[in-house]
Amino acid sequence: GDSVTQMEGPVTLSEEAFLTINCTYTATGYPSLFWYVQYPGEGLQLLLKATKADDKGSNKGFEATYRKETTSFHLEKGSVQVSDSAVYFCALSERTGNQFYFGTGTSLTVIP
Amino acid sequence: EPEVTQTPSHQVTQMGQEVILRCVPISNHLYFYWYRQILGQKVEFLVSFYNNEISEKSEIFDDQFSVERPDGSNFTLKIRSTKLEDSAMYFCASSFGGLNTEAFFGQGTRLTVV
């Protein structure tokens, strides 16, 4: 079945450090891939998405590239800020209206 | 910007009581979902709803759970007889549908069963 495996947290970085959060997936078809972010006390917000192999999703300085050969969708940011502190979820969806499969979430804390 | 809204933000209930969690999806969306997140665990799919019927449900969504779209704008999740293990954050989501469209999530309702 479909699943998402995400890097264990928590992750603590200093401001302006480079961020990578690993995500790999298992799917029977050709899923769309997503990163959602959950800020403290808030719901899940879409951060970025990619819908086919080699697509790069980007938003707010975050990027992730859909790698079919390695079944990965790693999240990266070149220089994190304190305001990026949140929980990040990798997710996939295979069909119209189909359920989203989420990873376990990775908690990121950025310290000044 | 349109958003999914959920009420209440926090509900405390006694074991065995019925609860109804309410959601107002984005108005032109066609697919509706409930997810839950037990503290410290994964976000888990419960059910999806399309064209006034359940389109998919997980093993978690047993006979104690039901969903309804009573009036064309609200989307509710009912738990008939709550158990301690139902304590979780419950997220409603909606999507327009079509391939590759993302789901938009509400802020969640934290359900505490005591």
Side-chain angles (χ1 to χ4, degrees):
Chain A
D2 293 0
S3 67
V4 175
T5 301
Q6 199 174 328
M7 172 178 160
E8 293 284 332
V11 173
T12 302
L13 293 174
S14 296
E15 207 164 21
E16 299 183 2
F18 184 85
L19 169 71
T20 300
I21 301 178
N22 290 337
C23 171
T24 57
Y25 67 90
T26 302
T28 53
Y30 301 95
S32 295
L33 302 173
F34 306 84
W35 277 99
Y36 280 84
V37 58
Q38 185 178 29
Y39 296 104
E42 299 187 15
L44 297 166
Q45 300 175 26
L46 179 70
L47 180 60
L48 53 85
K49 71 177 184 181
T51 59
K52 61 182 186 298
D54 300 325
D55 265 4
K56 178 187 282 189
S58 61
N59 186 24
K60 299 181 182 179
F62 290 90
E63 291 183 341
T65 301
Y66 189 140
R67 301 279 187 208
K68 189 166 178 288
E69 64 275 15
T70 54
T71 61
S72 66
F73 192 55
H74 304 321
L75 182 69
E76 296 182 337
K77 186 173 185 182
S79 175
V80 293
Q81 305 300 311
V82 172
S83 57
D84 294 326
S85 298
V87 181
Y88 292 82
F89 293 91
C90 185
L92 72 81
S93 177
E94 282 219 64
R95 300 190 304 272
T96 300
N98 193 31
Q99 62 172 293
F100 286 69
Y101 294 85
F102 285 87
T104 50
T106 301
S107 174
L108 170 67
T109 301
V110 180
I111 54 177
Chain B
E1 186 175 324
E3 60 180 13
V4 176
T5 57
Q6 289 184 244
T7 54
S9 56
H10 190 193
Q11 177 143 9
V12 181
T13 189
Q14 288 200 323
M15 194 168 53
Q17 295 295 304
E18 175 184 287
V19 294
I20 297 176
L21 310 183
R22 301 180 191 280
C23 169
V24 179
I26 294 172
S27 63
N28 64 341
H29 283 186
L30 302 176
Y31 294 84
F32 314 112
Y33 312 84
W34 283 101
Y35 288 80
R36 78 172 186 191
Q37 184 182 27
I38 295 171
L39 189 63
Q41 297 186 26
K42 197 179 267 208
V43 176
E44 301 173 294
F45 170 75
L46 293 178
V47 66
S48 59
F49 192 85
Y50 170 72
N51 200 25
N52 284 319
E53 61 184 23
I54 290 173
S55 54
E56 199 167 359
K57 61 182 181 178
S58 71
E59 292 176 353
I60 302 167
F61 194 87
D62 61 21
D63 292 344
Q64 292 298 313
F65 291 88
S66 62
V67 289
E68 196 177 31
R69 188 154 162 81
D71 55 14
S73 61
N74 291 283
F75 180 52
T76 61
L77 174 70
K78 182 193 289 187
I79 310 174
R80 283 191 190 79
S81 177
T82 50
K83 303 187 281 285
L84 293 176
E85 54 265 38
D86 293 328
S87 296
M89 181 73 90
Y90 287 80
F91 291 107
C92 174
S94 68
S95 72
F96 183 74
L99 286 174
N100 309 320
T101 55
E102 64 268 28
F104 291 78
F105 286 78
Q107 305 257 41
T109 293
R110 178 164 297 286
L111 175 66
T112 303
V113 182
V114 297

